[in-house]
Every structure is written in structure tokens, then in C-alpha cells.
Amino acid sequence: MKKFLAAVATFLLLAPMLGLVSIGVLVNPAVLNQGNCIASGVILGPIPDELEVTMKDGYTFTLNKQQLTHAGTIITTGSGIPGVGRDGILIALMAALTESTLRQLANTGTYPESGDYPNDGNGSDHDSLGLFQMRPQAGWGTVAELMDTTYQARAFYGGPDGPNHPSPRGLLDIPGWQQMDKGEAAQAVEVSAYSDRYQNYEPVAVTILDTLTSSSSGGNGVPGDTNIPETGRLVFPLPEGSYVHTSSFGPRVHPITGVPSFHAGTDWAAPDGTPIFALADGVVVYAGMVDGFSGQITLEHTIDGEKTATKYIHMWAHGIHVTAGDRVIAGQHIGDVGSSGHSTGPHLHFQVHPGGADQPPVDPEPWLAEHGVEGIDAPVGGGPGCTT
């Protein structure tokens, strides 16, 4: 108990720092997009010759191989940019579908030289070019740059390393884009006169992403799926600088009941609402409120050839952003820090289960260190951080 009281005192000393961190996260969204939020592991399978897709309004059409190849460029570009994740890739696909139907369009009426670059036809929307119909006069890039599909994808995603930073704004430059409706987020980048068009393409974007990555994903994406791809990268589950380590794996005095107990994971205190990232590529096998009061997400991965589960606990119900059966990629924003269940304050309780979710947990800290995950050496504090 003396150790626990000392830990509480330590946390109180650190509380002002946590407050400053929370303010920094609110003021500077780039904090959420640092190197531990890379959407790795998205590997394209063979591009089909065509793909039939259906929009939200029920309209069905067919995409050809060239259009799907451009979609592949958008997917692979987004998968290598910190902070994008699956949602960001879907938003980019929705934008390109809406603006050009995934065609790299020249505009010879305004820029005759644009026809000299590889293209899929000629557009005539003012001075817009390419997949995302970006305008040189608005500062998106030169004609030569915008006739490059990879450049256009990088420009759309934006962020500190984007070619146009800080203006025009790409997706990562939009504060709070992760909480927006995907169509609204696409509109925030495109600034279209027809802002309600993007939502109609969300089912199409999902179909494209699932189809083009399905051969590398394996399995059928349902709870209990054991055919999970070997992950390409492991990332720390919280943004750098946002958390304080408050409780380790193993025996301890339970901070709520005051009786000896075994702590099955590691706790990191962080401001309420701090994004939680998927450790690795995998499948969601559980997402919801355990016993109706403690928010939990369970993912299963293949790591070093072994089935491995990770658990993320204490989110509020509204802070769970995935559902059972979803496929996720390393660094994807899957939930938000909360304080549901047996908890003394906002924190992430994190568990690792080699062999799968039904196997015993191991100490996450040495496991993360052995697998080269950076971020576990945050200072140990006291205070919020308790799970049953």
C-alpha cells in the first residue's frame, strides 16, 4: 500500500505534464500522426481486369484494370504515410472516385501540355487535373507534378511530409478528420461545390480496398479467422508523448479493492479520448462492452509465424471504432482512451496473448521490447490505471 500511495504522489506531480500533453494533442493534430502510426502491411494482390461495384444509392458499374491500378497507387501510397490508416485510404479512394472515377485526366483546354503525359482521357473542369482534380492555380503543384498519380496521392494525404505542406491542406492537415464522416473528410480536402457526393462512393471504396488487398490478407475476415497474414510492422498503441506508464504486469495490490491480485497487462495513463492504435495488421475478433460496462477490442495477428492476440481495454462505448470481423492495419486508429469498467482514470490497459485470445497473457513490456517496438520506456508514474 505504501508503494501505491507513493505512486499516486508521483502521478500528481506528473499531472500538469499530462494536462499539457492533452492540450498539445487538441491544438496540434500532427502529434497524432508521428512515426508510431504507420499503416504498414497493406500489400496489393493481383489487379483484376475488372471489378463490378455498387454505390450507396444502388447504382452498379464496372471499373477497368487501369482504374484499379490507380486505386492501387492510392492504397500503397497511403499505406506508407504515418497517420493515414485504413480510414484515410478509404477517404482518398472516395475522393478520387467522385472527382475522376479513378481516371488520370488531362485538361488540354487549359493546359495543352497536360496531354503529353500519360492519361486516361481529357477533363474540362476549369483548370483541374488528374485523379483528384487538383488545380495548379490553387497551389497543388505544377502540371508535370499533377500528371503523376503518386504525386497526386501524396498531395491528397498531405501531412508534414506532404508536397504542399502546409497549404493547400491534405487529409492529415485537417484537424479532427478521424472523427468526421468519411465524405465530410473528403470534402474538407477537395472543397467541392457539391459536398454531398462523396458519401455515395463509400461502399465502392470498401469493395476496392478489400478486393485489391484480399490475396495478401487471407481468410474471410470473420471472428475466429485463423488465416491472418504475417504482419509487416509493429507500432506502439499510443501516440508518442501522450502517455505515462502507471502499472506493470504481475502481482500487485488492486487499487480499487485493496486486495492482492494479478494484473494481466500493462497500463498507460493518457488523456481521455487519446487515439489507440492497432499494434499490427490483423482481424478484430471482439469489439464491445464486456459485461456491459468495460470497453474492449481484441485483435488477432500473425507475428513471427505465431498467432498472437492483443487486447485494448477501458474504452467508452463511443470510443470503439471497429467491429468484429474488420481487418485492421498496423497503426490504424481503432479506439480512444477511456475509463470504463474497473478503472481509476483514463488509461489504456494493454495485453498480449501468444497463441491467440484464449491463451494466457504474457508481460507486454519485455514482449514489445523483444519485437523492437519503441515507446515502452515512458516514465513510470502512478494514479489512473486499473483493470480487473
Side-chain angles (χ1 to χ4, degrees), residues 37-42 73-85 89 157 161 172 329:
C37 189
I38 293 178
S40 63
V42 177
T73 297
I74 293 170
I75 293 168
T76 54
T77 301
S79 73
I81 298 176
V84 171
I89 292 172
Y157 290 122
D161 297 323
L172 296 179
I329 52 182

PDB file of all heavy atoms in Angstrom, residues 37-42 73-85 89 157 161 172 329:
ATOM      1  N   CYS A  37       2.501   5.509 -36.029  1.00  0.00           N
ATOM      2  CA  CYS A  37       1.147   5.401 -36.597  1.00  0.00           C
ATOM      3  C   CYS A  37       1.232   5.140 -38.094  1.00  0.00           C
ATOM      4  O   CYS A  37       0.599   5.813 -38.881  1.00  0.00           O
ATOM      5  CB  CYS A  37       0.368   6.680 -36.311  1.00  0.00           C
ATOM      6  SG  CYS A  37      -1.379   6.598 -36.728  1.00  0.00           S
ATOM      7  N   ILE A  38       2.074   4.205 -38.475  1.00  0.00           N
ATOM      8  CA  ILE A  38       2.248   3.915 -39.895  1.00  0.00           C
ATOM      9  C   ILE A  38       1.332   2.763 -40.303  1.00  0.00           C
ATOM     10  O   ILE A  38       1.286   1.739 -39.643  1.00  0.00           O
ATOM     11  CB  ILE A  38       3.713   3.572 -40.207  1.00  0.00           C
ATOM     12  CG1 ILE A  38       4.584   4.813 -39.987  1.00  0.00           C
ATOM     13  CG2 ILE A  38       3.868   3.074 -41.628  1.00  0.00           C
ATOM     14  CD1 ILE A  38       6.038   4.582 -40.221  1.00  0.00           C
ATOM     15  N   ALA A  39       0.607   2.960 -41.378  1.00  0.00           N
ATOM     16  CA  ALA A  39      -0.330   1.934 -41.849  1.00  0.00           C
ATOM     17  C   ALA A  39       0.409   0.931 -42.711  1.00  0.00           C
ATOM     18  O   ALA A  39       0.262   0.879 -43.915  1.00  0.00           O
ATOM     19  CB  ALA A  39      -1.457   2.584 -42.645  1.00  0.00           C
ATOM     20  N   SER A  40       1.253   0.132 -42.066  1.00  0.00           N
ATOM     21  CA  SER A  40       2.069  -0.812 -42.822  1.00  0.00           C
ATOM     22  C   SER A  40       1.288  -2.080 -43.135  1.00  0.00           C
ATOM     23  O   SER A  40       0.202  -2.297 -42.635  1.00  0.00           O
ATOM     24  CB  SER A  40       3.315  -1.171 -42.015  1.00  0.00           C
ATOM     25  OG  SER A  40       2.927  -1.818 -40.824  1.00  0.00           O
ATOM     26  N   GLY A  41       1.883  -2.939 -43.935  1.00  0.00           N
ATOM     27  CA  GLY A  41       1.314  -4.255 -44.157  1.00  0.00           C
ATOM     28  C   GLY A  41       0.235  -4.308 -45.217  1.00  0.00           C
ATOM     29  O   GLY A  41      -0.346  -5.362 -45.444  1.00  0.00           O
ATOM     30  N   VAL A  42      -0.099  -3.188 -45.862  1.00  0.00           N
ATOM     31  CA  VAL A  42      -1.086  -3.214 -46.934  1.00  0.00           C
ATOM     32  C   VAL A  42      -0.346  -3.571 -48.215  1.00  0.00           C
ATOM     33  O   VAL A  42       0.380  -2.769 -48.771  1.00  0.00           O
ATOM     34  CB  VAL A  42      -1.792  -1.854 -47.087  1.00  0.00           C
ATOM     35  CG1 VAL A  42      -2.747  -1.886 -48.258  1.00  0.00           C
ATOM     36  CG2 VAL A  42      -2.543  -1.509 -45.816  1.00  0.00           C
ATOM     37  N   THR A  73      -2.323   2.518 -56.582  1.00  0.00           N
ATOM     38  CA  THR A  73      -1.362   3.581 -56.273  1.00  0.00           C
ATOM     39  C   THR A  73      -1.806   4.352 -55.037  1.00  0.00           C
ATOM     40  O   THR A  73      -0.996   4.673 -54.154  1.00  0.00           O
ATOM     41  CB  THR A  73      -1.224   4.540 -57.471  1.00  0.00           C
ATOM     42  OG1 THR A  73      -0.704   3.826 -58.588  1.00  0.00           O
ATOM     43  CG2 THR A  73      -0.308   5.708 -57.140  1.00  0.00           C
ATOM     44  N   ILE A  74      -3.090   4.672 -54.956  1.00  0.00           N
ATOM     45  CA  ILE A  74      -3.621   5.399 -53.800  1.00  0.00           C
ATOM     46  C   ILE A  74      -3.461   4.570 -52.528  1.00  0.00           C
ATOM     47  O   ILE A  74      -3.080   5.094 -51.463  1.00  0.00           O
ATOM     48  CB  ILE A  74      -5.101   5.752 -54.039  1.00  0.00           C
ATOM     49  CG1 ILE A  74      -5.218   6.775 -55.171  1.00  0.00           C
ATOM     50  CG2 ILE A  74      -5.757   6.276 -52.757  1.00  0.00           C
ATOM     51  CD1 ILE A  74      -6.640   7.009 -55.640  1.00  0.00           C
ATOM     52  N   ILE A  75      -3.706   3.263 -52.619  1.00  0.00           N
ATOM     53  CA  ILE A  75      -3.607   2.387 -51.451  1.00  0.00           C
ATOM     54  C   ILE A  75      -2.165   2.257 -50.981  1.00  0.00           C
ATOM     55  O   ILE A  75      -1.868   2.427 -49.788  1.00  0.00           O
ATOM     56  CB  ILE A  75      -4.190   1.001 -51.780  1.00  0.00           C
ATOM     57  CG1 ILE A  75      -5.700   1.105 -52.012  1.00  0.00           C
ATOM     58  CG2 ILE A  75      -3.898   0.009 -50.665  1.00  0.00           C
ATOM     59  CD1 ILE A  75      -6.329  -0.146 -52.623  1.00  0.00           C
ATOM     60  N   THR A  76      -1.247   1.967 -51.900  1.00  0.00           N
ATOM     61  CA  THR A  76       0.142   1.762 -51.490  1.00  0.00           C
ATOM     62  C   THR A  76       0.781   3.060 -51.010  1.00  0.00           C
ATOM     63  O   THR A  76       1.590   3.049 -50.076  1.00  0.00           O
ATOM     64  CB  THR A  76       0.969   1.174 -52.637  1.00  0.00           C
ATOM     65  OG1 THR A  76       0.837   1.989 -53.811  1.00  0.00           O
ATOM     66  CG2 THR A  76       0.506  -0.231 -52.962  1.00  0.00           C
ATOM     67  N   THR A  77       0.417   4.178 -51.601  1.00  0.00           N
ATOM     68  CA  THR A  77       0.950   5.464 -51.136  1.00  0.00           C
ATOM     69  C   THR A  77       0.476   5.741 -49.713  1.00  0.00           C
ATOM     70  O   THR A  77       1.265   6.092 -48.831  1.00  0.00           O
ATOM     71  CB  THR A  77       0.512   6.606 -52.066  1.00  0.00           C
ATOM     72  OG1 THR A  77       0.984   6.348 -53.391  1.00  0.00           O
ATOM     73  CG2 THR A  77       1.068   7.943 -51.591  1.00  0.00           C
ATOM     74  N   GLY A  78      -0.820   5.565 -49.465  1.00  0.00           N
ATOM     75  CA  GLY A  78      -1.351   5.815 -48.127  1.00  0.00           C
ATOM     76  C   GLY A  78      -0.807   4.874 -47.083  1.00  0.00           C
ATOM     77  O   GLY A  78      -0.622   5.256 -45.917  1.00  0.00           O
ATOM     78  N   SER A  79      -0.505   3.634 -47.481  1.00  0.00           N
ATOM     79  CA  SER A  79      -0.031   2.645 -46.509  1.00  0.00           C
ATOM     80  C   SER A  79       1.344   2.981 -45.965  1.00  0.00           C
ATOM     81  O   SER A  79       1.732   2.469 -44.914  1.00  0.00           O
ATOM     82  CB  SER A  79      -0.007   1.252 -47.143  1.00  0.00           C
ATOM     83  OG  SER A  79       1.052   1.131 -48.076  1.00  0.00           O
ATOM     84  N   GLY A  80       2.083   3.841 -46.651  1.00  0.00           N
ATOM     85  CA  GLY A  80       3.419   4.192 -46.194  1.00  0.00           C
ATOM     86  C   GLY A  80       3.511   5.539 -45.514  1.00  0.00           C
ATOM     87  O   GLY A  80       4.608   5.982 -45.172  1.00  0.00           O
ATOM     88  N   ILE A  81       2.388   6.212 -45.289  1.00  0.00           N
ATOM     89  CA  ILE A  81       2.404   7.553 -44.692  1.00  0.00           C
ATOM     90  C   ILE A  81       1.900   7.480 -43.256  1.00  0.00           C
ATOM     91  O   ILE A  81       0.802   6.970 -43.008  1.00  0.00           O
ATOM     92  CB  ILE A  81       1.544   8.536 -45.504  1.00  0.00           C
ATOM     93  CG1 ILE A  81       2.100   8.683 -46.923  1.00  0.00           C
ATOM     94  CG2 ILE A  81       1.471   9.894 -44.821  1.00  0.00           C
ATOM     95  CD1 ILE A  81       1.270   9.568 -47.831  1.00  0.00           C
ATOM     96  N   PRO A  82       2.681   7.967 -42.277  1.00  0.00           N
ATOM     97  CA  PRO A  82       2.242   7.935 -40.881  1.00  0.00           C
ATOM     98  C   PRO A  82       0.883   8.608 -40.694  1.00  0.00           C
ATOM     99  O   PRO A  82       0.641   9.693 -41.202  1.00  0.00           O
ATOM    100  CB  PRO A  82       3.337   8.717 -40.146  1.00  0.00           C
ATOM    101  CG  PRO A  82       4.538   8.572 -41.010  1.00  0.00           C
ATOM    102  CD  PRO A  82       4.017   8.555 -42.421  1.00  0.00           C
ATOM    103  N   GLY A  83      -0.004   7.923 -39.964  1.00  0.00           N
ATOM    104  CA  GLY A  83      -1.274   8.517 -39.590  1.00  0.00           C
ATOM    105  C   GLY A  83      -2.428   8.282 -40.521  1.00  0.00           C
ATOM    106  O   GLY A  83      -3.559   8.635 -40.191  1.00  0.00           O
ATOM    107  N   VAL A  84      -2.195   7.683 -41.690  1.00  0.00           N
ATOM    108  CA  VAL A  84      -3.279   7.529 -42.669  1.00  0.00           C
ATOM    109  C   VAL A  84      -4.221   6.399 -42.274  1.00  0.00           C
ATOM    110  O   VAL A  84      -5.406   6.589 -42.066  1.00  0.00           O
ATOM    111  CB  VAL A  84      -2.716   7.315 -44.085  1.00  0.00           C
ATOM    112  CG1 VAL A  84      -3.835   6.944 -45.061  1.00  0.00           C
ATOM    113  CG2 VAL A  84      -2.021   8.593 -44.569  1.00  0.00           C
ATOM    114  N   GLY A  85      -3.695   5.186 -42.174  1.00  0.00           N
ATOM    115  CA  GLY A  85      -4.519   4.045 -41.801  1.00  0.00           C
ATOM    116  C   GLY A  85      -5.580   3.701 -42.828  1.00  0.00           C
ATOM    117  O   GLY A  85      -5.691   4.327 -43.885  1.00  0.00           O
ATOM    118  N   ILE A  89      -7.160   5.800 -46.264  1.00  0.00           N
ATOM    119  CA  ILE A  89      -7.124   5.229 -47.608  1.00  0.00           C
ATOM    120  C   ILE A  89      -8.522   5.203 -48.211  1.00  0.00           C
ATOM    121  O   ILE A  89      -8.721   5.546 -49.383  1.00  0.00           O
ATOM    122  CB  ILE A  89      -6.505   3.823 -47.574  1.00  0.00           C
ATOM    123  CG1 ILE A  89      -5.010   3.917 -47.218  1.00  0.00           C
ATOM    124  CG2 ILE A  89      -6.676   3.123 -48.918  1.00  0.00           C
ATOM    125  CD1 ILE A  89      -4.345   2.586 -46.960  1.00  0.00           C
ATOM    126  N   TYR A 157      -3.084  13.129 -49.319  1.00  0.00           N
ATOM    127  CA  TYR A 157      -2.881  12.735 -47.923  1.00  0.00           C
ATOM    128  C   TYR A 157      -2.254  13.878 -47.113  1.00  0.00           C
ATOM    129  O   TYR A 157      -2.581  14.046 -45.937  1.00  0.00           O
ATOM    130  CB  TYR A 157      -2.013  11.492 -47.833  1.00  0.00           C
ATOM    131  CG  TYR A 157      -2.686  10.234 -48.330  1.00  0.00           C
ATOM    132  CD1 TYR A 157      -2.141   9.479 -49.367  1.00  0.00           C
ATOM    133  CD2 TYR A 157      -3.877   9.790 -47.762  1.00  0.00           C
ATOM    134  CE1 TYR A 157      -2.756   8.324 -49.822  1.00  0.00           C
ATOM    135  CE2 TYR A 157      -4.503   8.636 -48.213  1.00  0.00           C
ATOM    136  CZ  TYR A 157      -3.941   7.909 -49.247  1.00  0.00           C
ATOM    137  OH  TYR A 157      -4.551   6.763 -49.697  1.00  0.00           O
ATOM    138  N   ASP A 161       5.037  15.831 -44.206  1.00  0.00           N
ATOM    139  CA  ASP A 161       5.930  15.449 -45.296  1.00  0.00           C
ATOM    140  C   ASP A 161       5.255  15.521 -46.664  1.00  0.00           C
ATOM    141  O   ASP A 161       5.828  15.095 -47.661  1.00  0.00           O
ATOM    142  CB  ASP A 161       6.445  14.016 -45.069  1.00  0.00           C
ATOM    143  CG  ASP A 161       7.274  13.902 -43.793  1.00  0.00           C
ATOM    144  OD1 ASP A 161       8.006  14.861 -43.492  1.00  0.00           O
ATOM    145  OD2 ASP A 161       7.174  12.874 -43.109  1.00  0.00           O
ATOM    146  N   LEU A 172      -4.289  14.804 -43.730  1.00  0.00           N
ATOM    147  CA  LEU A 172      -3.650  14.827 -42.418  1.00  0.00           C
ATOM    148  C   LEU A 172      -3.525  16.234 -41.845  1.00  0.00           C
ATOM    149  O   LEU A 172      -3.199  16.389 -40.662  1.00  0.00           O
ATOM    150  CB  LEU A 172      -2.263  14.180 -42.505  1.00  0.00           C
ATOM    151  CG  LEU A 172      -2.241  12.695 -42.876  1.00  0.00           C
ATOM    152  CD1 LEU A 172      -0.812  12.189 -42.955  1.00  0.00           C
ATOM    153  CD2 LEU A 172      -3.039  11.870 -41.882  1.00  0.00           C
ATOM    154  N   ILE A 329      -4.957  -2.511 -40.007  1.00  0.00           N
ATOM    155  CA  ILE A 329      -3.548  -2.457 -40.352  1.00  0.00           C
ATOM    156  C   ILE A 329      -2.790  -1.768 -39.232  1.00  0.00           C
ATOM    157  O   ILE A 329      -3.360  -1.006 -38.437  1.00  0.00           O
ATOM    158  CB  ILE A 329      -3.319  -1.729 -41.685  1.00  0.00           C
ATOM    159  CG1 ILE A 329      -4.000  -0.369 -41.698  1.00  0.00           C
ATOM    160  CG2 ILE A 329      -3.789  -2.581 -42.844  1.00  0.00           C
ATOM    161  CD1 ILE A 329      -3.864   0.387 -43.003  1.00  0.00           C
TER     162      ILE A 329
END
